[in-house]
């Protein structure tokens, strides 16, 4: 069985963000790129599923500028994925990315289950995996913290608002969006890293996929940094005085009560 | 002027505040406002939808839509959108909104801007601003090749005025458009708390390592009860198993934007600051005066959280009950 995992490369959460001179994006110089943290759970769950189903294979896919995106694909290979494909393209939005991923998965054929992260921490959008499911015409559940496959159907537990959970059953093929809590992602082993370095990553040009330019639906511009906060007001006195002062400030000055 | 379609969400027959924000913003734009709501409680909110600015509300009262199913919601939403022909769709970036509208957008061959914090509607045009990298930057979203512009807004970003009870909406009922589902919701396990989700909460009381042990979250719960707040936590505390991941605020947890965020025993890792930095007023309580959280805070108290928080709870009780 073919198990696909779609991953995205994002700036490390520690990275300080600077704006590019033309203010349409960020200054990518000096940015440390990592695999989107939620995608690690997706890779891990795919590996576990492969290990439990002999003869299966894990394929990782990513779309973006090839030169850097391959790094995250190598990380996935080092974690144990079998094959990797990069869709080389610049300036793709969520819609065109989803379409490209769906096209490549269709072309590779035989997919049973596709894992993604529940969202990417750079744009916090949570849209590519749903759109991809729609283009593939398959069911999709995201924010998944428990996964089971019985050879035919998938049963997942999905975290919803207010701490509630839903148990969802899907016919396969199906797309599963991984949340934290699904598993503990394995570290890449040294032999895994060595093996990943030697792997050939299949390259597909976005331009070869016959996706029209009109499939780019949104563009970001006017990138700005958040405004500086006024300096903090430190409260003094003993704890009782501080507590009384704070409540007064919140009510009379900040007016949030 | 065109039509703005608003996805009106409700909890047990009560219209959500986030939906009121969207209805009122749409009404202020001068466009015709049309709302959509689903489920057996749909009839309970049509009056409130009218009071908040919609002139027409489309309902599918089928009980199978009481809980969210991506396939049935997509089928019904697309059917109604095709009838209404709006130029703009607004939804809250709630867990339902974020799951549903990318599917709707894919089916309608149009663009969606998710997790936005600013909305400007001018005639048929929309510009939205969304935080990137968990609020470390802000981007303007421009739609291209999008016959319908779909914007998903974070809760608590826009004001809500008093409802105008003289206004009413014309109700249009539809039959359930969904058939042959491949997705089945088998069971819904209720959450531990009836409180608002962190992403919608107006006040959040959040705890970190400085609370020393899991049992000490009780002081936060007590404070939250008095304030009607939702309790959050840092990644360190979640990873230590003190509380569940649903409570995590930060770049790998929930991004929040309440009016008031009280950070208790939180030193302020960059990922946490990114997740809560757009809160309007931030209070930090920490025993380390050099903790980075104080650089983001509006008000700061250096001291022992376990001593200060119970005193705060008492003070709030007094202040809020007079």
């Amino acid at each position: 069985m073919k198990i696909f995992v779609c991953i995205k490369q994002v700036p490390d959460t520690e990275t300080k963000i600077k704006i590019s001179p033309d203010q349409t994006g960020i200054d990518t110089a000096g940015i440390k790129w990592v695999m989107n943290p939620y995608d690690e759970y997706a890779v891990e769950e795919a590996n576990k599923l492969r290990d439990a189903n002999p003869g299966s294979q894990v394929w990782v896919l990513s779309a973006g500028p090839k030169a850097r995106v391959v790094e995250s694909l190598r990380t996935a290979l080092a974690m144990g994925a079998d094959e990797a494909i990069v869709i080389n393209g610049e300036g793709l939005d969520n819609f065109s990315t989803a379409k490209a991923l769906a096209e490549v998965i269709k072309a590779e054929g035989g997919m049973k289950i596709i894992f993604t992260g529940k969202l990417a921490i750079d744009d916090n959008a949570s849209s590519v995996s749903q759109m991809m499911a729609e283009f593939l015409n398959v069911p999709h559940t995201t924010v998944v913290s428990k996964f089971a496959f019985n050879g035919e159907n998938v049963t997942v537990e999905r975290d919803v608002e207010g701490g509630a959970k839903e148990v969802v059953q899907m016919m396969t093929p199906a797309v599963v969006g991984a949340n934290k809590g699904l598993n503990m992602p394995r570290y890449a082993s040294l032999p895994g890293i060595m093996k990943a370095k030697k792997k050939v990553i299949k390259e597909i040009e976005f331009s070869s996929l016959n996706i029209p330019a009109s499939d780019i639906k949104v563009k970001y511009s006017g990138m700005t940094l958040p405004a500086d906060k006024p300096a903090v007001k430190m409260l003094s006195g003993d704890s009782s005085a501080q507590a009384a002062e704070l409540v007064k400030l919140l009510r009379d000055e900040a007016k949030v009560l | 002027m065109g039509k703005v379609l608003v996805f009106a969400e409700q909890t047990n027959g009560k219209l959500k505040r986030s939906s009121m924000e969207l209805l009122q913003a749409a009404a202020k734009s001068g466009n015709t406002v049309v709302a959509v709501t689903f489920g057996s409680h749909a009839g309970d909110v049509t009056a409130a939808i009218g009071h908040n600015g919609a002139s027409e509300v489309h309902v599918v009262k089928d009980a199978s839509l009481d809980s969210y199913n991506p396939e049935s919601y997509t089928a019904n939403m697309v059917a109604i959108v095709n009838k209404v022909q709006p130029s703009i769709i607004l939804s809250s970036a709630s867990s339902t909104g974020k799951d549903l509208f990318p599917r709707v957008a894919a089916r309608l061959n149009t663009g969606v801007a998710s997790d936005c914090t600013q909305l400007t509607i001018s005639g048929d045009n929309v510009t939205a601003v969304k935080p990137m990298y968990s609020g470390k930057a802000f981007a303007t979203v421009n739609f291209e090749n999008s016959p319908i512009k779909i914007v998903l807004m974070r809760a608590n970003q826009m004001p809500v005025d008093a409802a105008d009870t003289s206004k009413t909406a014309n109700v249009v009922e539809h039959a359930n458009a969904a058939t042959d589902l491949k997705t089945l919701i088998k069971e819904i396990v209720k959450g531990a708390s009836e409180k608002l989700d962190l992403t919608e909460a107006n006040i959040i009381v959040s705890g970190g390592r400085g609370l020393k042990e899991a049992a000490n979250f009780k002081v936060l719960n007590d404070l939250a009860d008095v304030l009607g707040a939702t309790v959050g936590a840092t990644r360190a505390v979640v990873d230590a198993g003190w509380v569940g991941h649903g409570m995590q605020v930060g770049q790998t947890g929930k991004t929040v934007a309440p009016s008031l965020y009280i950070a208790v025993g939180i030193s302020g890792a960059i990922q946490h600051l990114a997740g809560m930095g757009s809160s309007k007023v931030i209070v930090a309580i920490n025993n380390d005066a050099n903790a980075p959280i104080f650089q983001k805070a509006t008000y700061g108290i250096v001291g022992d959280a376990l001593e200060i928080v119970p005193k705060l709870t008492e003070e709030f009780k007094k202040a809020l009950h007079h």
Side-chain angles (χ1 to χ4, degrees):
Chain A
M1 143 172 94
K2 253 184 185 169
I3 305 157
F4 285 92
V5 190
C6 302
I7 66 172
K8 185 177 187 183
Q9 203 194 30
V10 298
D12 184 81
T13 55
E14 295 278 353
T15 300
K16 288 233 160 68
I17 297 293
K18 286 184 226 144
I19 307 297
S20 64
D22 66 356
Q23 297 193 324
T24 59
I26 56 166
D27 184 354
T28 51
I31 289 211
K32 188 187 166 207
W33 298 92
V34 297
M35 188 195 301
N36 176 45
Y38 290 106
D39 300 350
E40 293 179 16
Y41 305 106
V43 173
E44 178 62 27
E45 202 63 22
N47 285 341
K48 280 171 66 181
L49 182 62
R50 186 255 336 265
D51 295 346
N53 291 275
S56 299
Q57 271 191 323
V58 173
W59 287 62
V60 277
L61 263 61
S62 190
K66 174 181 80 181
R68 62 171 171 79
V69 169
V70 290
E71 275 179 51
S72 288
L73 288 169
R74 294 230 183 264
T75 305
L77 289 169
M79 286 172 73
D82 301 293
E83 303 291 338
I85 301 176
V86 57
I87 303 166
N88 184 36
E90 298 254 9
L92 307 182
D93 70 344
N94 294 357
F95 193 99
S96 50
T97 299
K99 214 164 210 186
L101 293 169
E103 288 301 318
V104 169
I105 289 171
K106 264 189 245 172
E108 292 296 334
M111 86 287 195
K112 195 77 174 165
I113 293 157
I114 304 164
F115 291 99
T116 67
K118 73 163 178 182
L119 55 78
I121 60 160
D122 54 356
D123 65 5
N124 209 43
S126 172
S127 54
V128 168
S129 84
Q130 292 92 312
M131 286 178 166
M132 179 181 69
E134 193 64 31
F135 295 136
L136 290 168
N137 192 26
V138 301
H140 163 274
T141 303
T142 190
V143 207
V144 166
S145 55
K146 220 181 228 179
F147 171 88
F149 174 60
N150 68 5
E152 203 167 330
N153 294 319
V154 159
T155 305
V156 297
E157 216 170 271
R158 158 178 151 84
D159 300 329
V160 286
E161 286 166 1
K165 283 181 187 290
E166 286 174 2
V167 180
V168 180
Q169 187 184 299
M170 292 187 287
M171 287 160 70
T172 53
V175 181
V176 175
N179 194 16
K180 184 172 179 171
L182 179 61
N183 52 46
M184 284 291 284
R186 67 193 74 181
Y187 287 107
S189 64
L190 191 59
I193 294 168
M194 299 311 290
K195 224 169 96 188
K197 273 189 181 164
K198 286 188 205 136
K199 280 253 176 185
V200 177
I201 294 176
K202 186 171 173 182
E203 294 175 11
I204 296 173
E205 289 299 319
F206 177 77
S207 56
S208 73
L209 292 172
N210 291 323
I211 295 172
S214 61
D215 274 350
I216 293 183
K217 305 292 186 191
V218 293
K219 269 192 181 149
Y220 296 147
S221 68
M223 195 78 83
T224 57
L225 293 174
D228 283 339
K229 287 230 165 208
V232 59
K233 192 180 265 187
M234 300 300 291
L235 309 185
S236 56
D238 65 10
S239 54
S240 301
Q242 287 172 323
E245 173 76 359
L246 178 63
V247 172
K248 194 168 161 281
L249 286 167
L250 291 175
R251 193 182 49 203
D252 302 337
E253 187 180 83
K255 297 188 167 56
V256 287
L257 291 186
Chain B
M1 288 289 153
K3 279 185 190 168
V4 179
L5 185 139
V6 175
F7 177 45
E9 290 186 73
Q10 33 128 355
T11 327
N12 302 320
K14 200 172 163 272
L15 186 63
K16 280 193 180 185
R17 188 198 184 275
S18 53
S19 298
M20 294 180 195
E21 287 181 53
L22 300 172
L23 288 163
Q24 293 193 9
K28 276 178 203 152
S29 74
N31 286 283
T32 304
V33 184
V34 180
V36 179
T37 191
F38 296 142
S40 48
H41 282 293
D44 303 349
V45 290
T46 51
I49 287 170
H51 300 338
N52 282 284
S55 57
E56 192 173 280
V57 51
H58 293 256
V59 297
V60 185
K61 286 185 175 170
D62 202 300
S64 70
L65 301 173
D66 284 350
S67 58
Y68 175 69
N69 179 308
E71 289 174 53
S72 55
Y73 269 54
T74 304
N76 280 291
M77 186 59 75
V78 168
I80 291 169
V81 169
N82 283 336
K83 280 213 180 72
V84 173
Q85 300 273 321
S87 44
I88 298 165
I89 299 177
L90 302 178
S91 163
S92 165
S94 60
S95 70
T96 297
K98 279 177 105 165
D99 196 75
L100 170 63
F101 283 99
R103 295 197 75 132
V104 171
R107 214 171 279 191
L108 296 171
N109 195 31
T110 200
V112 57
S114 188
D115 196 39
C116 299
T117 53
Q118 277 180 47
L119 173 73
T120 314
I121 305 173
S122 161
D124 283 358
N125 273 316
V126 175
T127 337
V129 172
K130 75 180 252 85
M132 299 290 289
Y133 317 101
S134 292
K136 291 179 200 170
F138 289 85
T140 304
V141 185
N142 306 299
F143 286 91
E144 307 193 330
N145 311 307
S146 296
I148 306 172
K149 299 164 183 77
I150 306 180
V151 180
L152 311 183
M153 289 289 296
R154 266 194 212 168
N156 300 325
Q157 304 302 313
M158 299 183 290
V160 170
D161 297 335
D164 181 349
T165 51
S166 70
K167 288 185 179 158
T168 54
N170 183 28
V171 179
V172 184
E173 287 203 35
H174 299 266
N176 186 359
T179 51
D180 295 340
L181 302 180
K182 295 175 198 156
T183 305
L184 203 67
I185 313 299
K186 299 201 74 164
E187 192 189 345
I188 297 173
V189 186
K190 272 202 124 189
S193 90
E194 295 294 305
K195 296 203 172 94
L196 278 177
D197 192 71
L198 283 167
T199 54
E200 288 183 61
N202 197 38
I203 304 180
I204 293 172
V205 177
S206 221
R209 279 260 193 225
L211 283 169
K212 297 190 185 90
E213 56 178 303
N216 289 334
F217 259 78
K218 188 184 177 304
V219 301
L220 294 194
N221 290 328
D222 293 346
L223 175 58
D225 284 344
V226 170
L227 286 170
T230 301
V231 178
T234 61
R235 175 180 174 163
V237 160
V238 170
D239 285 353
W242 294 6
V243 298
H245 174 247
M247 287 169 69
Q248 186 179 323
V249 173
Q251 203 164 5
T252 55
K254 286 179 173 155
T255 305
V256 300
S259 297
L260 173 60
Y261 189 90
I262 304 181
V264 181
I266 293 174
S267 61
I270 188 168
Q271 297 89 346
H272 188 80
L273 298 179
M276 48 64 87
S278 45
S279 307
K280 279 190 202 85
V281 174
I282 296 167
V283 173
I285 302 169
N286 200 292
N287 57 13
D288 173 9
N290 296 318
I293 188 81
F294 288 118
Q295 288 162 24
K296 277 269 178 188
T298 323
Y299 303 114
I301 295 178
V302 177
D304 179 1
L306 295 176
E307 187 190 321
I308 291 161
V309 175
K311 287 198 169 131
L312 256 183
T313 305
E314 289 312 308
E315 288 293 330
F316 278 123
K317 245 186 225 167
K318 276 193 257 167
L320 295 170
H321 294 156
H322 283 285

